[in-house]
Amino acid sequence: MENGEIEGAPDDALPVPAAPPNGGRRYRPVGSSDRAVVQMTSMEPGSSSSSSTTAVGGITPQPPRNLTVDPSMQEGSTGSQGDSKLELFGFDSLVNILGLKSMTGEQIQAPSSPRDGEDIAITIGRPKETGPKFGTLMGVFVPCLQNILGIIYYIRFTWIVGMAGAWQSLVLVSFCGACTFLTGISLSAIATNGAMKGGGPYYLIGRALGPEVGVSIGLCFFLGNAVAGSMYVLGAVETFLDAVPSAGFFKESVTVVNSTLGNGTATSGAATISTPSLHDLQVYGVIVTILLCFIVFGGVKIINKVAPAFLIPVLFSLLCIFLGVFIAPRHNAPKGITGLSITTFKDNWASEYQRTNNAGVPDPNGSIYWDFNALVGLFFPAVTGIMAGSNRSASLKDTQRSIPIGTLAATLTTTAMYLFSVLLFAALATREELLTDRLLTATVAWPAPAVIYIGIILSTLGAALQSLTGAPRLLAAIANDDILPVLNYFKVSEGAEPHSATLFTAFICICCVVIGNLDLITPTITMFFLLCYAGVNLSCFLLDLLDAPSWRPRWKFHHWSLSLVGALLCVVIMFLISWSFTVVSIALASLIYYYVSLKGKAGDWGDGFKSAYFQLALRSLRSLGANQVHPKNWYPIPLIFCRPWGKLPENVPCHPKLADFANCMKKKGRGMSIFVSIIDGDYHELAEDAKTACHQLDTYIEYKRCEGVAEIIVAPSMSEGFRSIVQTMGLGNLKPNIIVMRYPEIWRRENLTQIPSTFVSIINDCIIANKAVVIVKGLDEWPNEYQRQYGTIDLYWIVRDGGLMLLLSQLLLTKESFESCKIQVFCIAEEDTDAEELKADVKKFLYDLRMHAEVIVVTMKSWEPHMETSSSGAQQDDSQEAYRSAQRRISTYLSEMKETTQREGRPLTEDGKQVVVNEQKIEKFLYTMFKLNSTILRYSRMAAVVLEPPPPPPLNHPAYFYMEYMDLLVENVPRMLIVRGYRRDVVTFFT
């Protein structure tokens, strides 16, 4: 096809490569001169296909718009596009996957992605415009700086220095700054580990620790941002009303300060301090919040244009404060402002904690007592805001570069400024002035307080604007992940503004503004922010410690120990502030986590907890090794044949009662089971069918509430499939140790002649592989968890089996269906055995094993040739009839085998293997099975379940004979477990 034809074709009628006549792909040998590359050219519409082309390694700078294939790769002279030589590698080329639309500059999503919402667009040509993108300065540094430099510094920092003193204030700033700096390092590491979408810390925590943890911490962080917006608004309004008292609608609150401070130091006299009315704060706060929401509705582009108008006055106000400090005191300065003085600094070096009223004014009779812990809660919001840039990660040009540089630069800048300010304020004014002048920064500023008032108002409004911008985007990111259906109202399309989330954020902000108490709001904000910071540090710690192959952050200046220290600092600060607030915030996050676990949809992205489980499993497996497990640590790991002998509908992946029985083999349902089905056929042809069957079986296991995994094996026959399973299934000591299957009761009724050889092959393979075997007879009548059984669980203990039958009987008693039963142990002994001594020994053995059971010794005559069976009761008659029938069938089968071998002139064989027939041994086996069956019918006809060990298949005997032996053993017994141990102790005397 000509390029012009491709250019002019409509989007919905794009050409496709011509199919080969036989319906498959065509391949041809690749010569030495062939170039296994697809060539692309940048041609204007109407240009011919003969224009110059450039290989993939040298694509022209202009956006490619057409696809040209090497002429040697085209079929015939018709110009139809041939198959790409990249098909020789067994995969479609990238061009074939993306289609021709990608060459026109349209955005095509990757063909495979873990989640639709996380697809990364692959664009060849011009990328699709998705809105304004911002760099490090305007996208991260400025928002972080505006959020950090808020109201606390201007109207509370000098008060904190006066209360804590210089040295404790330095400790306070360093302590809080270290917490945010370490969190910034962790944030930088996670943010540079891959593409980061909207949601900021929620996106990072959710992808690292899972959707439940991500949503719970993300919603708390959203609330923290929304409440922080109200704090900044209240700070701006309070500053405005302090500067312009006449603007208040209600009467100011007047506080008279007593003549002594909290430490008993005398002052010059009482002072009167006026504070704005609560109602004025509420009215103005609501109005300002609504005005800010109108700006936020304009989008990120408008906000970033407005941001410098808020930030420049802030920086100018800081400059004015520092200039005023160095030139103080001026002629109209209060007496408490001494200027930079070493004497004043020494006086303010120590702390002086005291009581204050609700407005923060010192009062010996005040209701609030301040100490270092309380000051941590008050000051910590002054260092928060480091997430302001990551909250807007969807609007950044390069998140992996901008977030680390912008966040850490803002953190270091503000922390250094706070430390420097502590030294200046401690040397500037007396303690009384620091504690009573709520706006000392404005009082000391040069040239006039009005400049500072404007700077304070604009700085707090800028911080409020950033909070009202980041919080809705965080909520929209949580909603877009579709984890909680209740948040669907806040979903937004890509590039759209989250208007619904903004309205909800404004509502929360207005509710907090109505409270009007700044000192009550700040501890709440602190807890939510600290919870988020702890989550970020924990995420980085977990990822760094596990060191998965996908963990490759570009930010190298991190270590798991730093993240751990950061997480511990967050927790310590939370409890220092208030253990009650800490408990409430953790309880809230836990409730959200529980709600998400119940009602939320599972996120299909990986998380660190699953990786931690994987690493723990690997280390545990290595520690277990492959040595023999001690009986104290032995657990049954059953391998269950779901469809061993067919005769189940195709849509039934497993016999329903096998899952019930698998749970009976595990104490309290704990432990691992492996459910296996074998599909007869060729693996290449049935691989997809096996995957589908495995998915169906896995779904069924989950439905039956079994702790297990599903495996489907494709093999030429069941015998070969089982032989592969028994050799390779499992790792180390986590290999299955018990083979569980249904007894083939249907083999004679359905005339399934292949079952005897398969059955014997499986038993022999288990013996060679040293696996225990549990064969369930009467599986269709096996009780479920709601069918209570009464009577006894009878064990016929004949040979040493390591205690497996004893253990299984105890496990059955732990289930509701068998908990009303009692255990009876029947010891089969020869006639000349001392029955009483044997009974005493078994009782002592069971007592030492902490097992309660009644012991019954049954003696049995040894078999002698030509021994006649005698009839004694109905049970003996039933067994004797089965015994005679088995003798006749074996005799007939043996005669047919001999006739066939004599006719063909070859040795006696079965399934291609030579067999040896010892008629005396056959008769001995039949008699022994007859005696055991008659004994079981005599003592255990009404038992809930009978456990009996099977004999091993006689060497070189026909498999048909062994099936006859087993049929005689289970004859007329409604429910039996045929248990063969593997000569390894699974119970022990010792605790």
Side-chain angles (χ1 to χ4, degrees):
M1 178 175 288
E2 298 289 340
N3 288 329
E5 294 177 66
I6 297 177
E7 183 78 21
D11 289 344
D12 56 353
L14 290 172
V16 295
N22 59 359
R25 291 181 176 175
R26 290 181 176 177
Y27 298 96
R28 66 177 179 82
V30 181
S32 59
S33 62
D34 287 341
R35 291 176 297 169
V37 294
V38 177
Q39 294 186 335
M40 289 183 289
T41 179
S42 174
M43 297 188 298
E44 297 299 328
S47 60
S48 65
S49 60
S50 60
S51 300
S52 60
T53 60
T54 306
V56 171
I59 298 177
T60 56
Q62 300 168 337
R65 302 180 59 182
N66 293 65
L67 174 65
T68 303
V69 185
D70 189 356
S72 64
M73 297 168 62
Q74 295 180 344
E75 294 189 25
S77 59
T78 60
S80 62
Q81 183 180 348
D83 291 333
S84 168
K85 293 175 186 176
L86 293 179
E87 291 180 355
L88 293 175
F89 292 94
F91 297 95
D92 289 333
S93 67
L94 181 63
V95 175
N96 289 337
I97 293 173
L98 297 181
L100 296 176
K101 284 188 177 182
S102 63
M103 299 305 162
T104 64
E106 297 185 25
Q107 190 178 36
I108 306 295
Q109 290 186 337
S112 60
S113 175
R115 186 177 176 88
D116 292 340
E118 293 186 28
D119 286 345
I120 301 173
I122 299 178
T123 304
I124 303 179
R126 291 185 297 270
K128 182 178 178 181
E129 293 295 331
T130 58
K133 298 291 184 179
F134 303 99
T136 302
L137 182 63
M138 296 305 300
V140 180
F141 182 77
V142 170
C144 288
L145 206 61
Q146 281 189 308
N147 263 32
I148 296 174
L149 292 176
I151 186 63
I152 300 298
Y153 178 78
Y154 289 102
I155 67 175
R156 289 291 185 271
F157 196 62
T158 55
W159 184 90
I160 290 173
V161 173
M163 189 70 69
W167 80 271
Q168 289 196 17
S169 297
L170 292 173
V171 173
L172 175 65
V173 173
S174 302
F175 189 56
C176 296
C179 178
T180 55
F181 180 74
L182 293 176
T183 303
I185 292 178
S186 299
L187 175 69
S188 302
I190 304 177
T192 59
N193 189 49
M196 181 177 173
K197 296 186 66 177
Y202 155 73
Y203 185 88
L204 300 177
I205 297 172
R207 269 56 177 181
L209 301 182
E212 294 86 358
V213 179
V215 171
S216 57
I217 295 181
L219 287 178
C220 290
F221 189 59
F222 159 75
L223 291 175
N225 274 282
V227 176
S230 65
M231 179 190 73
Y232 297 131
V233 169
L234 284 176
V237 172
E238 183 177 338
T239 304
F240 171 73
L241 293 176
D242 281 338
V244 188
S246 60
F249 298 106
F250 302 93
K251 187 177 181 181
E252 294 178 321
S253 300
V254 178
T255 303
V256 178
V257 182
N258 295 323
S259 58
T260 58
L261 293 176
N263 63 349
T265 304
T267 62
S268 57
T272 300
I273 299 176
S274 297
T275 56
S277 169
L278 175 62
H279 300 300
D280 284 333
L281 292 175
Q282 293 168 341
V283 171
Y284 278 101
V286 171
I287 295 173
V288 170
T289 303
I290 295 174
L291 293 177
L292 290 176
C293 284
F294 279 110
I295 300 177
V296 174
F297 268 95
V300 179
K301 191 173 182 179
I302 294 179
I303 293 171
N304 278 351
K305 288 182 178 179
V306 175
F310 288 99
L311 182 61
I312 292 175
V314 171
L315 299 178
F316 181 72
S317 66
L318 292 176
L319 178 62
C320 292
I321 290 174
F322 290 135
L323 288 176
V325 168
F326 283 106
I327 65 175
R330 298 202 301 274
H331 64 280
N332 57 348
K335 294 181 180 179
I337 299 178
T338 62
L340 295 179
S341 168
I342 190 64
T343 303
T344 305
F345 183 79
K346 290 180 179 179
D347 292 339
N348 292 329
W349 176 254
S351 61
E352 194 171 294
Y353 297 111
Q354 52 192 286
R355 292 187 176 275
T356 67
N357 57 20
N358 292 333
V361 177
D363 185 355
N365 301 318
S367 59
I368 302 175
Y369 178 76
W370 293 91
D371 56 9
F372 183 82
N373 297 352
L375 290 184
V376 173
L378 179 62
F379 173 73
F380 194 82
V383 296
T384 59
I386 62 173
M387 301 291 185
S390 60
N391 284 345
R392 299 159 56 175
S393 53
S395 302
L396 299 176
K397 293 179 182 177
D398 186 358
T399 56
Q400 299 190 21
R401 180 179 182 276
S402 298
I403 289 179
I405 296 177
T407 302
L408 293 177
T411 303
L412 290 175
T413 301
T414 52
T415 302
M417 188 197 73
Y418 286 148
L419 292 173
F420 185 59
S421 299
V422 168
L423 301 177
L424 293 181
F425 292 150
L428 175 67
T430 62
R431 191 179 303 273
E432 178 187 0
E433 190 69 23
L434 292 173
L435 294 175
T436 55
D437 192 344
R438 295 170 58 86
L439 281 170
L440 181 61
T441 53
T443 303
V444 75
W446 178 89
V451 177
I452 304 304
Y453 286 127
I454 296 174
I456 295 174
I457 293 172
L458 291 179
S459 70
T460 51
L461 291 180
L465 188 63
Q466 296 297 337
S467 295
L468 293 177
T469 302
R473 281 157 177 77
L474 177 59
L475 182 61
I478 298 174
N480 284 342
D481 274 340
D482 201 21
I483 301 297
L484 279 182
V486 73
L487 300 178
N488 288 344
Y489 182 73
F490 303 112
K491 285 184 177 180
V492 294
S493 57
E494 186 177 357
E497 291 295 326
H499 296 312
S500 300
T502 302
L503 289 175
F504 183 65
T505 305
F507 172 76
I508 296 176
C509 187
I510 290 174
C511 291
C512 294
V513 165
V514 171
I515 297 176
N517 191 335
L518 193 64
D519 295 333
L520 181 63
I521 292 174
T522 50
T524 308
I525 302 170
T526 302
M527 291 303 171
F528 288 143
F529 277 95
L530 281 169
L531 198 62
C532 178
Y533 295 168
V536 171
N537 282 298
L538 183 61
S539 301
C540 186
F541 166 72
L542 189 62
L543 293 172
D544 215 357
L545 193 64
L546 296 174
D547 198 19
S550 61
W551 176 242
R552 298 186 303 273
R554 296 180 184 274
W555 187 258
K556 303 299 182 182
F557 305 100
H558 75 280
H559 191 264
W560 64 266
S561 58
L562 297 178
S563 302
L564 180 60
V565 172
L568 293 176
L569 276 178
C570 293
V571 175
V572 169
I573 292 176
M574 291 176 72
F575 280 97
L576 278 178
I577 296 171
S578 171
W579 67 267
S580 57
F581 272 97
T582 301
V583 171
V584 169
S585 60
I586 294 177
L588 177 61
S590 301
L591 287 175
I592 299 175
Y593 179 92
Y594 183 70
Y595 180 77
V596 175
S597 301
L598 291 180
K599 302 294 184 181
K601 300 178 183 178
D604 53 3
W605 58 79
D607 62 76
F609 285 129
K610 291 183 176 62
S611 181
Y613 298 152
F614 180 76
Q615 293 281 354
L616 182 61
L618 288 181
R619 293 178 183 179
S620 300
L621 186 60
R622 288 197 299 267
S623 65
L624 284 175
N627 298 325
Q628 181 172 330
V629 178
H630 192 273
K632 283 195 298 184
N633 306 322
W634 190 89
Y635 283 85
I637 305 177
L639 188 145
I640 299 158
F641 275 94
C642 301
R643 301 168 54 91
W645 317 115
K647 297 303 176 184
L648 282 178
E650 291 297 329
N651 60 344
V652 179
C654 178
H655 193 292
K657 294 301 180 68
L658 273 174
D660 296 331
F661 179 73
N663 279 332
C664 289
M665 299 183 67
K666 295 180 287 187
K667 191 173 183 179
K668 299 181 181 179
R670 297 170 184 166
M672 184 178 71
S673 300
I674 303 175
F675 290 78
V676 174
S677 279
I678 299 176
I679 300 178
D680 295 342
D682 183 76
Y683 177 70
H684 291 173
E685 297 177 357
L686 300 176
E688 291 301 322
D689 294 341
K691 292 179 183 178
T692 303
C694 187
H695 177 72
Q696 293 174 348
L697 181 56
D698 190 64
T699 304
Y700 181 80
I701 294 171
E702 185 176 355
Y703 164 73
K704 294 293 286 185
R705 292 179 296 179
C706 293
E707 290 187 359
V709 295
E711 293 289 347
I712 302 294
I713 303 297
V714 180
S717 66
M718 182 180 291
S719 298
E720 294 186 26
F722 178 81
R723 195 163 291 125
S724 300
I725 290 171
V726 79
Q727 294 181 78
T728 61
M729 188 67 69
L731 293 172
N733 275 322
L734 288 183
K735 291 182 177 180
N737 47 32
I738 301 178
I739 309 301
V740 179
M741 58 184 173
R742 180 187 186 182
Y743 183 78
E745 304 166 53
I746 62 174
W747 77 278
R748 181 178 290 113
R749 183 175 68 248
E750 302 289 342
N751 196 27
L752 301 177
T753 56
Q754 79 281 4
I755 284 184
S757 60
T758 303
F759 183 78
V760 171
S761 173
I762 290 176
I763 298 297
N764 284 326
D765 289 343
C766 292
I767 294 174
I768 294 173
N770 202 26
K771 306 289 185 184
V773 182
V774 176
I775 304 170
V776 187
K777 195 266 181 181
L779 182 64
D780 294 334
E781 290 78 32
W782 190 264
N784 59 32
E785 57 182 330
Y786 305 109
Q787 296 174 323
R788 186 173 293 274
Q789 301 297 302
Y790 298 94
T792 59
I793 299 174
D794 292 351
L795 282 69
Y796 284 82
W797 202 3
I798 301 174
V799 294
R800 179 178 178 271
D801 65 345
L804 182 58
M805 283 199 302
L806 295 173
L807 181 62
L808 287 180
S809 64
Q810 294 296 320
L811 291 175
L812 288 176
L813 287 182
T814 63
K815 306 303 173 184
E816 292 184 5
S817 53
F818 289 98
E819 64 182 1
S820 300
C821 297
K822 296 182 179 179
I823 298 178
Q824 293 185 141
V825 177
F826 292 87
C827 298
I828 308 298
E830 298 287 346
E831 246 184 346
D832 55 352
T833 304
D834 189 342
E836 292 301 322
E837 184 179 354
L838 176 61
K839 184 175 181 178
D841 290 342
V842 174
K843 279 188 172 182
K844 177 65 168 57
F845 178 75
L846 295 178
Y847 177 80
D848 291 338
L849 291 176
R850 291 91 64 199
M851 294 183 180
H852 302 283
E854 182 181 355
V855 179
I856 302 171
V857 177
V858 178
T859 58
M860 183 183 295
K861 291 182 180 181
S862 299
W863 178 85
E864 297 177 3
H866 310 296
M867 173 178 267
E868 295 292 333
T869 59
S870 60
S871 176
S872 59
Q875 294 88 354
Q876 190 78 357
D877 291 340
D878 293 341
S879 300
Q880 189 172 9
E881 179 60 31
Y883 174 65
R884 298 300 185 190
S885 298
Q887 282 182 319
R888 288 192 297 268
R889 288 191 297 269
I890 287 179
S891 178
T892 302
Y893 186 84
L894 184 57
S895 298
E896 293 176 354
M897 287 183 64
K898 289 180 178 179
E899 290 177 4
T900 302
T901 55
Q902 290 175 0
R903 184 173 59 251
E904 297 178 357
R906 58 177 175 80
L908 199 64
T909 59
E910 184 185 54
D911 294 334
K913 297 180 181 179
Q914 186 173 355
V915 297
V916 177
V917 177
N918 186 330
E919 296 186 15
Q920 185 175 343
K921 192 170 185 179
I922 294 173
E923 188 64 27
K924 183 176 182 180
F925 256 94
L926 279 175
Y927 178 78
T928 304
M929 296 299 103
F930 156 68
K931 293 298 292 181
L932 286 174
N933 180 257
S934 61
T935 303
I936 292 171
L937 293 180
R938 180 183 306 139
Y939 295 104
S940 305
R941 184 179 285 269
M942 303 304 295
V945 62
V946 176
L947 284 76
E948 171 82 18
L955 191 63
N956 297 327
H957 270 219
Y960 177 85
F961 293 177
Y962 187 73
M963 285 304 304
E964 288 289 355
Y965 307 153
M966 296 302 298
D967 278 357
L968 183 56
L969 175 64
V970 303
E971 184 72 24
N972 295 321
V973 182
R975 194 182 296 147
M976 177 184 281
L977 297 181
I978 304 171
V979 181
R980 177 174 178 81
Y982 56 145
R983 300 190 181 277
R984 176 177 294 179
D985 290 335
V986 298
V987 293
T988 179
F989 296 144
F990 307 104
T991 58

